[in-house]
Structures are given as structure tokens and as C-alpha cells.
Amino acid sequence: MRIYLASKRRLAVSAVALAVGSALLVPGTAMAAGRHRGGQPTAWTLSGQVTPASLKGGPWTLGQTPATYGSPDAGYCDAAGNVTRNPGTELFQPAYFPNVTGSGQHLRGFFDYRPKDTDEAVLAAKSDDGGKTWTYQGQALESQKGQCPSPALNDDGQGHPTVLHVDGKDLLYTLTRPTADTAGSQLLVHRIGTDASPAADAKNPLAKLPAAQSVGTGAKTTLTAAVTLPAATIAAADTSAFEIPGTVRIQTSAGLQDVRCTDSTDTSFTGCTGGEGTAASGAAAGTYPVVPADTQATTGLISPDGILGVLPGKDGRSVTVLYVEKQLDYFKTADQANACAVPFATLNKIGEGKNKAPYYGNNEDRSTVRSATTRDGIHFTDNGPVNGLGDNESTGATATRFVSPSGTVVKNPDGTLGLFYGAGNCYDGDSDGFHYIGYATSKDGVNWKIVDGFTNPLLSVDTAFPKTSPALYYSGRIYGPRVVLGRDGKTATMVFAGYRTPKPLPNPGTVLGTDPSARYTVGANDLASYRSILTVTLTAK
């Protein structure tokens, strides 16, 4: 079977000039109103050119040095070991999962800032030109603050940010990656206002949150031999619950120390650096907690990977969301029904998969779109799965199997609902739902009908990996559509995220592409391009 490609008509968008970027926070409970004709729900089509967005100020960006596939973190730290900042206006990379609200051309966004294998934070920015250019406002909850890239770091912090207005409060929800999608996992909840000032700060919506806040698995163990830090190898009773590469926290004579290690065996951490002081055999070692101090977690959600959209409230008090449940490694054995069994040779054409049976590292997870209701933003009641947004057990080449978090629900004047979403299939080699951006409609928020799906998407990846802009910014991955309607209700701005290749940083020399006559060889000097923010205009049909 072949990997399905979207029509060239859908993908033919020409290069555009880049441009820089204010809006008040729109409560997550508010539904944008669309228009309809002849009693039919609004349908949408692309009416403008896709524009790679730019960011003025803020943290390090891929383009400022620039980063390449041969040197993917170029310029991240200066010669003195200090983490650098974006000195001007650069492409808005590496950031994704935009959570954008606003009115017309005036937008405010929260973004998942995530340099590969190095750091993660929530970033706030505003735009006054429909998302083409953004002005940095602030960031918070950084996982590896002040750290230069090293093999002992990871980028598993807090991601997939979503802001909701619930019970008079602005709440930021984040995914805690070290334990994400495991049984019993929940989202973290951060209040971005106060009792005295419930709304987010207009200049920096993240100002009231900690600048840095690491999360971990909450693992604990004891040392089995005395150690004086720094030490490359640290003997421990059990390392299995630790995320390595990552941080091990050890109580020494100098206090609680953060030690970063590149690897581990069953009974030792290896490749370790940092820390000081002496710890005796039997001393405690652990990692950062799943839920940091002074932070709350949701209850009632089922292994949430993130919030997809917000449904209209029915009583003026409660908030109902669509969210994505992800069952990590659900498919485990070769004879398990409905598992993805795409051959490694097929997946390898796009740089995905692993040459390891039975599933070759393609789609062992199982995703389900569900809804849940809350009155206080913390305690949710799960309402069960919704219907019609694909089939999470279909193995077809054009079937929608995975839906990603971060989408947009709009409400039409006739009461029907529209959902902009990102989705994928078995042939993408990943369960992140990144193959296409689609649109579905519903009368009740439970039963949905896909209008723009896998075979007729609003936008799609292109596994021939074109080299021309702007298609190259989303030829490998595309997802996270956030839609803000224009004042006339007939036009809309869609902000979304894309990758050049399915994997963020393929090794130089990797040959990719499903077109045997025009394959893409990744060059060491090619500009690294992943987790890019893009925008495009939509028009109601």
C-alpha cells in the first residue's frame, strides 16, 4: 500500500514575504460564531497563502545563528556558557501547539516552546497582523532553565498549553511529559490570574507563574555506595523509574543536588555531571515530582494527551471540553487485533519507524477523542468518547486513526458546531495525528461528521518533501489548528504548526521521500526546520 498524498491543488501554495506582532484574552468558554447559507453549516476553504510566522524577541530561535541539521543547537549558548536570546525578528521556531484567541487580526497566543532534546517552556506572544508576526510577551514553567545543550538533557517539560476561563478564573493546562499518557495521568493546572486580578496580565499573561518549573516521574531510590559529586557513575538500588537522559536529585552534605546523567544500568546512573558534596550509601535519590508544589492537577480525565477544543456551555457555569485520551503502548503483541502493521521499509521512506518487530515503531498507541465537563476547572466528569472523528482502530491507508490535541470548535448561528483538527494514520509512523488538518461538523458535540478529511484536507503533509517555501515548513508534520473568526464571520485566521520532516532532526545523509525520482537527502548544512508556527486565511464557502 502507498502513503496517501493530498492533492497538489491543496498543496500548491506560493512563497510569501515574512512580516511582526495585540489582543485581549478571549475566554475559553466563548464560542466563535460562524455564518451559514441556506440553512447549512459553515464550510471553509483556504483563501490565502500559507505564511511562516516570525517572532520578535524572546528565547533562542533556530534561525538566529542559524541551526542546521549538522549543528542543530548552533548559537544556543555563547562562548561564556550563557543561554542566548533572540536578538531581533526570526522565524517562529521551535514552537508548536499554538493556543490562540482574539478578534480579527488581533491575536494572543500561548505556545509550546521546545528546542529538541534541550528544553521546554510555555511562551506567550501577541500579533496584530493575523498571526504573521508575533511579539514576545513572556515565558514560564521552563524545564531546563539556564542549561546549555548536552547529552544529559531532555525536552520533557510541560507542553500542549491550553487556557480556559472557568468559574471566573483564567487557567492554563499543561501536559507533564515524563508521565504523559500513562494510566492515571492528568493535566497540570496553573492559575494565571489572582483573586484580586482574575484575568491574565495584558502585558505578560504568564507573569504570575514560576519562570522555571521542572517535572519528573516522582521516582525514588537509594544509593548503594558512597559518592562524592561530581561523579560519572552513581550506584543505586533501582533506576528503572527514572527518565534518563535526565536529572537525578541527590541529598548530599552540600544539600539537595541536581545531577544530570546520560545513561543508566539497572543499578547505576552513568555519564553523570554536576552537583557537589558527599552522600553516604543509603542516601536518598529521586527526581522532580509529577505535580510540583503549589500546582494542582485535574481529576476525572482519562490519560489526557491534551485538550482539543471547548464545547458550548449549557448552564452558564460548567465548561465542556473535547480532549484526546492516549493509551501509551496499547498494542504490544504481533497477533493483537487492529494493530498498525506497516512495514519498516515503508515507514523508513519518511524517516519514521524502527527496524524491530512486531510493529516497527510505528503506531503502538491508541487515541480516543472524549468529552468531559467541569465546574471549577480542576474536577472533571468524563462523558465518554465522541463519534465520527475517524476510527481509532482502522488500519486503512486513508483512514483517520489518530486525532491530535489542540484544535478549535466554532459555533454557527443555526446551532451547529464546527471543529478544526489535526489527524493522521498508521502510515505516519507516529500517534501524534500530524498528517492533515481537517474540519468536521456536529449538532450536539457528540456525533460528528468529517467534511474535510484525509482525502480532501484543508492542508496536508507532502511526503515528496518539496524544497520550496512555504510547503517545506509543513511537508513532514502539520497539526494544532487554532482558528479565529474575522469580524464579518466570513473569513478566519488559522494558526498551526509544522515540521520540515516527520522527525524533528533527521541525521545528515538520511534519504527521505516517497517519490523515487525526487528524494530528499538531508544535508548537514541544510537549515534545521521543525516546530514552526504558520498562518493562513480561510473563507466561508
Side-chain angles (χ1 to χ4, degrees):
M1 301 178 91
R2 69 185 179 91
I3 297 177
Y4 183 81
L5 298 180
S7 68
K8 293 297 182 183
R9 180 181 66 83
R10 293 279 184 172
L11 291 171
V13 285
S14 59
V16 291
L18 297 179
V20 132
S22 144
L24 297 178
L25 181 68
V26 175
T29 52
M31 293 295 104
R35 292 182 179 270
H36 65 100
R37 295 175 176 82
Q40 296 299 313
T42 303
W44 297 90
T45 185
L46 269 65
S47 59
Q49 300 171 327
V50 172
T51 302
S54 58
L55 176 67
K56 181 180 180 181
W60 174 85
T61 58
L62 297 183
Q64 65 192 56
T65 296
T68 63
Y69 289 116
S71 184
D73 49 30
Y76 193 92
C77 283
D78 62 22
N82 301 309
V83 176
T84 62
R85 306 285 292 174
N86 177 11
T89 300
E90 298 285 348
L91 288 177
F92 203 160
Q93 307 167 311
Y96 59 164
F97 287 98
N99 184 241
V100 176
T101 56
S103 177
Q105 296 289 295
H106 305 293
L107 310 178
R108 172 166 287 174
F110 298 87
F111 303 86
D112 188 341
Y113 172 75
R114 198 180 184 204
K116 182 75 172 80
D117 296 331
T118 298
D119 198 7
E120 186 165 28
V122 178
L123 182 153
K126 64 179 183 178
S127 173
D128 290 318
D129 62 359
K132 296 181 179 65
T133 56
W134 295 82
T135 298
Y136 171 83
Q137 293 181 289
Q139 68 187 65
L141 310 178
E142 189 173 359
S143 62
Q144 306 284 359
K145 188 174 178 61
Q147 296 296 311
C148 292
S150 85
L153 295 184
N154 62 52
D155 55 4
D156 285 350
Q158 298 182 52
H160 300 189
T162 299
V163 173
L164 301 180
H165 188 75
V166 187
D167 193 29
K169 300 181 288 288
D170 287 335
L171 302 175
L172 170 68
Y173 296 81
T174 57
L175 178 78
T176 175
R177 291 190 188 274
T179 56
D181 310 320
T182 57
S185 63
Q186 294 291 317
L187 300 177
L188 298 183
V189 187
H190 309 270
R191 189 172 179 183
I192 56 178
T194 64
D195 289 337
S197 180
D201 184 275
K203 293 183 178 180
N204 177 7
L206 300 172
K208 297 180 177 69
L209 298 185
Q213 189 180 76
S214 298
V215 289
T217 62
K220 296 179 180 180
T221 190
T222 55
L223 304 187
T224 56
V227 64
T228 298
L229 300 179
T233 300
I234 300 170
D238 181 9
T239 68
S240 60
F242 287 75
E243 184 183 25
I244 303 294
T247 301
V248 181
R249 313 197 80 197
I250 300 174
Q251 190 69 46
T252 75
S253 57
L256 186 60
Q257 303 292 304
D258 279 2
V259 178
R260 292 176 171 83
C261 303
T262 62
D263 209 344
S264 64
T265 67
D266 290 343
T267 57
S268 66
F269 301 103
T270 61
C272 302
T273 59
E276 60 182 8
T278 300
S281 177
T287 187
Y288 283 97
V290 176
V291 181
D294 301 322
T295 301
Q296 291 182 282
T298 59
T299 67
L301 300 177
I302 301 175
S303 300
D305 196 49
I307 294 172
L308 174 60
V310 184
L311 297 173
K314 295 182 179 180
D315 58 12
R317 291 185 58 195
S318 63
V319 175
T320 298
V321 300
L322 298 176
Y323 75 99
V324 177
E325 171 201 7
K326 183 179 284 189
Q327 294 167 275
L328 202 63
D329 297 327
Y330 177 85
F331 295 98
K332 298 180 182 296
T333 60
D335 58 353
Q336 198 166 346
N338 303 313
C340 289
V342 180
F344 174 70
T346 300
L347 296 171
N348 195 43
K349 290 179 180 179
I350 62 171
E352 283 285 356
K354 301 174 183 176
N355 196 10
K356 182 179 179 181
Y359 297 130
Y360 304 102
N362 61 108
N363 291 134
E364 290 90 346
D365 305 334
R366 186 174 187 266
S367 295
T368 305
V369 180
R370 312 176 70 92
S371 74
T373 301
T374 183
R375 285 181 176 270
D376 62 4
I378 304 296
H379 305 91
F380 285 79
T381 299
D382 180 75
N383 302 320
V386 301
N387 306 311
L389 295 176
D391 183 346
N392 65 1
E393 293 191 345
S394 176
T395 59
T398 62
T400 294
R401 180 174 174 116
F402 302 102
V403 175
S404 70
S406 188
T408 309
V409 175
V410 296
K411 183 178 181 181
N412 298 313
D414 64 354
T416 60
L417 304 175
L419 171 67
F420 295 87
Y421 65 95
N425 71 353
C426 281
Y427 286 74
D428 293 322
D430 201 293
S431 62
D432 277 355
F434 59 71
H435 192 103
Y436 77 92
I437 289 176
Y439 177 74
T441 61
S442 175
K443 293 181 179 180
D444 57 9
V446 176
N447 301 289
W448 293 87
K449 180 180 180 181
I450 292 177
V451 177
D452 296 288
F454 205 100
T455 58
N456 65 328
L458 292 172
L459 280 169
S460 176
V461 302
D462 186 347
T463 52
F465 300 108
K467 297 181 181 180
T468 56
S469 177
L472 65 85
Y473 291 104
Y474 57 89
S475 57
R477 289 193 179 200
I478 185 170
Y479 47 3
R482 291 291 298 187
V483 173
V484 176
L485 297 184
R487 297 184 187 279
D488 61 1
K490 300 177 182 178
T491 59
T493 297
M494 182 169 74
V495 180
F496 62 98
Y499 287 42
R500 173 75 175 96
T501 55
K503 291 296 186 186
L505 294 172
N507 292 325
T510 301
V511 180
L512 303 173
T514 55
D515 181 352
S517 65
R519 303 191 75 189
Y520 168 50
T521 300
V522 179
N525 294 323
D526 290 354
L527 297 179
S529 184
Y530 65 95
R531 297 170 185 160
S532 303
I533 299 299
L534 304 105
T535 185
V536 69
T537 300
L538 305 176
T539 299
K541 293 191 286 187

